[in-house]
Amino acid sequence: MKAHLSRRYLFSASHRLHSEEMSTEENKRTYGKCNNPYGHGHNYIVEITVSGQVDEQTGMVCNLADLDTFIEREVLARFDHENLNTLQEFSKEVPTTENLCIQIYEIVHRGFPHAHLERVRLEETMMNSFEYTGKSS
Amino acid sequence: MVYLTRKAEFSASHLYHNPAFTPEENRRIFGKCNNPNGHGHNYTLEVTVKGEVDPRSGFVVDLKQLKEVMHREVLDAMDHRFLNKEVPEFLHRIPTTENIAIAIWQRLATQLESAKLHRVRVYETPDLFVDFYGEP
Ligand SMILES: [Zn+2]
């Protein structure tokens, strides 16, 4: 039988929302406080949902240790306690939480072989969260 | 269609062990969860049912009935139990969060009168949960 497994991880990072394609005025108007030149930070919670058949032998969709190891190496090590604007991943796009959510989805979708990725949900604060389920939906 | 979710909590102990595996395999695959004396969790259960709103009552489901079914079928059977030994489903199946969600679905699906079961969500900890939608 098919089940969905979700796991939540915490990381902290800073960012500044600023687009090279906009004027100073437009940046201020679009991003408000988030355009502050020195940046600011968040405690992000990323929730990864994978699905698959529950293995008869183990009772699991996938081994949690495999998922934890992958997320720690590929997501947390990359983004935790970083300034997102300085990362190569955001050299060409604004590190909004939408874009970060999509990037995390792509990393897990490409690299995690043990289960099907259903959804990445990213909470920027307790008030804001974003979900991405891939290109087609 | 309206969806209604009811929460409940239960505490239970379990261990992960497959007699078909060697002791080394059991330890490697299940890690700390293989400790033969078991360990416990405070589980949170979320049961979501769906249906049309009854024009007379304004309800999707009689919440009192849902509560009773959850109590009888799930909490009475699993709360403060050692799942591996006291819950029939887990005598020969490992009580992982996945299998607990499936077992709860199977216990509830036939017992609900008006509404249809949509999702069973079981939190083992606030950071780990499983959703089961009755998919084969
Ligand atoms: Zn456990």
Side-chain angles (χ1 to χ4, degrees):
Chain A
M1 270 172 278
K2 181 185 172 187
H4 297 231
L5 174 87
S6 299
R7 179 78 155 154
R8 290 161 67 83
Y9 306 88
L10 177 75
F11 65 94
S12 305
S14 64
H15 67 174
R16 179 199 184 198
L17 304 187
H18 180 86
S19 170
E20 296 298 336
E21 287 163 32
M22 294 181 195
S23 67
T24 308
E25 274 318 300
E26 206 184 346
N27 265 303
K28 272 214 190 80
R29 203 172 58 240
T30 308
Y31 296 122
K33 278 200 256 183
C34 298
N35 188 234
N36 171 2
Y38 298 107
H40 63 280
H42 297 286
N43 298 324
Y44 293 94
I45 292 171
V46 60
E47 184 181 293
I48 308 286
T49 301
V50 297
S51 70
Q53 288 295 316
V54 177
D55 185 284
E56 284 288 323
Q57 294 298 309
T58 64
M60 296 170 176
V61 166
C62 72
N63 200 314
L64 203 56
D66 292 337
L67 183 61
D68 286 351
T69 306
F70 180 86
I71 298 296
E72 270 153 30
R73 192 184 62 224
E74 298 297 329
V75 177
L76 305 184
R78 197 180 303 219
F79 297 122
D80 189 31
H81 285 74
E82 294 287 345
N83 177 337
L84 300 178
N85 299 68
T86 64
L87 300 180
Q88 180 252 322
E89 285 83 353
F90 290 104
S91 58
K92 291 196 185 64
E93 59 181 21
V94 185
T96 58
T97 306
E98 289 90 327
N99 281 334
L100 183 56
C101 189
I102 294 170
Q103 292 227 9
I104 294 173
Y105 180 95
E106 295 300 341
I107 291 168
V108 182
H109 181 69
R110 264 199 318 271
F112 187 65
H114 302 295
H116 172 72
L117 180 63
E118 288 282 341
R119 182 179 69 224
V120 172
R121 179 184 147 90
L122 190 54
E123 297 176 15
E124 184 185 68
T125 67
M126 270 153 62
M127 311 293 171
N128 299 337
S129 68
F130 303 80
E131 292 184 12
Y132 187 62
T133 57
K135 270 204 184 77
S136 55
S137 49
Chain B
M1 188 82 85
V2 174
Y3 296 79
L4 179 150
T5 301
R6 172 83 194 171
K7 272 196 201 192
E9 286 183 330
F10 62 95
S11 304
S13 60
H14 67 176
L15 73 105
Y16 294 176
H17 180 83
N18 184 336
F21 296 156
T22 65
E24 292 70 34
E25 281 175 321
N26 269 300
R27 265 197 299 277
R28 182 172 50 76
I29 295 166
F30 298 124
K32 280 200 250 180
C33 298
N34 185 233
N35 176 353
N37 296 319
H39 64 279
H41 298 283
N42 299 323
Y43 291 93
T44 300
L45 168 63
E46 279 181 25
V47 174
T48 302
V49 298
K50 62 180 172 189
E52 299 299 338
V53 176
D54 181 291
R56 286 184 64 238
S57 66
F59 289 163
V60 172
V61 62
D62 179 351
L63 201 54
K64 203 167 122 282
Q65 195 233 339
L66 178 61
K67 236 172 93 178
E68 277 166 13
V69 171
M70 284 167 66
H71 247 277
R72 188 179 66 231
E73 298 296 326
V74 182
L75 304 186
D76 288 351
M78 298 188 191
D79 188 32
H80 286 71
R81 303 282 185 182
F82 184 32
L83 299 176
N84 301 62
K85 290 225 161 75
E86 296 186 86
V87 179
E89 286 93 326
F90 303 125
L91 297 180
H92 304 289
R93 197 181 303 147
I94 303 170
T96 56
T97 318
E98 288 90 329
N99 280 335
I100 294 171
I102 292 170
I104 291 174
W105 174 285
Q106 289 167 342
R107 282 167 172 257
L108 295 177
T110 54
Q111 301 290 319
L112 295 174
E113 280 162 24
S114 50
K116 260 190 81 162
L117 196 52
H118 171 65
R119 184 182 75 196
V120 167
R121 173 175 285 189
V122 177
Y123 286 88
E124 185 185 87
T125 67
D127 294 331
L128 177 67
F129 60 93
V130 165
D131 290 319
F132 185 62
Y133 295 89
E135 292 172 283

